[in-house]
Amino acid sequence: MGTDKRQPWVVGVSGASGTPYAASVIRALLAAGEPVDLIVSRAARLTILDETGISFRDGHWRTDLAAWLGMPEGDLDDVRYWPAGDFAAGPSSGSYPARGMLVVPATTGAVAGIALGLSKDLLQRVASVTLKERRPLVVCVREAPLNGVTLKHLVELDAQGAVVLPASPGFYAGGSTVRELVDFVAGRVLDAVGVPHALYRRWEGELGAAARHTAQPE
């Protein structure tokens, strides 16, 4: 009897500004040969539309995802999409063979819901399952400034074993374009779960390398 050895990373996209971070993470996971299960919250659909002009629809998710990622539909064969309201979805159960979950970007509402175990939608439910099963969970929060309540929720997530990773680009990698700064954050998300990538230039202890990397030829 055959067994399904597919073990995906679940990527949850909430409604925070910063959908390019999610797109970069998904592209890099697929490039690394990692299967992806995707959950896009209802609020995230509005953000995707606002930031990209692309409507993300359940019934046309494959076409819309291809447009969002800038990839051919044929390259998305290892992506499964689960509507945010589908509480019977595979990843909602701890017996589903997910490797872990990346919430990119995470709203403060999603942070609160995950920290408190509210499970108000599939994204929050899967995050709660990820924690209870002791699987890797990365929460890439995208908000500024952060109030005391959210900070307490982030501390609680850390205490429960999640990696709290603010969407905070670093400039030591020599990033000088928006895409490079986005890829830096996406790369740090993947670093947190040990997925190989080539999204940014790593620090090698050489001062001034970033300036030389961004210098334009005369």
Side-chain angles (χ1 to χ4, degrees):
M1 181 173 64
T3 58
D4 183 6
K5 296 183 179 180
R6 185 179 185 273
Q7 194 175 15
W9 291 100
V10 181
V11 177
V13 186
S14 76
S17 177
T19 56
Y21 295 125
S24 181
V25 165
I26 296 168
R27 283 193 296 262
L29 284 171
L30 295 175
E34 299 284 349
V36 172
D37 276 23
L38 178 64
I39 303 168
V40 179
S41 75
R42 290 185 175 88
R45 297 185 195 192
L46 298 177
T47 309
I48 292 171
L49 178 62
D50 183 51
E51 294 183 346
T52 70
I54 296 168
S55 297
F56 198 94
R57 303 159 293 177
D58 285 348
H60 303 275
W61 71 266
R62 193 178 182 89
T63 298
D64 296 340
L65 180 61
W68 178 29
L69 300 182
M71 297 174 60
E73 287 189 42
D75 291 348
L76 303 178
D77 289 342
D78 218 354
V79 178
R80 289 180 182 172
Y81 172 71
W82 304 98
D86 183 6
F87 282 89
S92 68
S93 170
S95 65
Y96 188 80
R99 293 190 63 185
M101 184 178 190
L102 316 173
V103 183
V104 187
T107 63
T108 56
V111 166
I114 297 168
L116 299 175
L118 298 181
S119 295
K120 293 180 66 176
D121 61 8
L122 181 62
L123 188 154
Q124 293 183 20
R125 167 61 184 169
V126 176
S128 294
V129 168
T130 302
L131 288 173
K132 80 178 182 69
E133 296 294 327
R134 302 296 192 265
R135 295 168 182 161
L137 172 65
V138 180
V139 179
C140 186
V141 61
R142 215 306 305 167
E143 185 59 271
L146 296 171
N147 64 27
V149 173
T150 299
L151 290 171
K152 290 177 182 177
H153 289 153
L154 292 173
V155 170
E156 175 60 26
L157 285 177
D158 178 78
Q160 293 183 41
V163 174
V164 175
L165 198 153
S168 177
F171 293 86
Y172 63 83
S176 59
T177 67
V178 172
R179 177 64 180 269
E180 288 174 327
L181 296 175
V182 165
D183 284 348
F184 177 89
V185 172
R188 295 299 289 150
V189 170
L190 297 180
D191 287 345
V193 292
V195 174
H197 65 85
L199 289 173
Y200 67 89
R201 187 185 63 83
R202 297 183 180 277
W203 173 252
E204 296 180 347
E206 183 183 358
L207 294 176
R212 288 191 293 274
H213 177 75
T214 57
Q216 298 296 321
E218 295 182 0

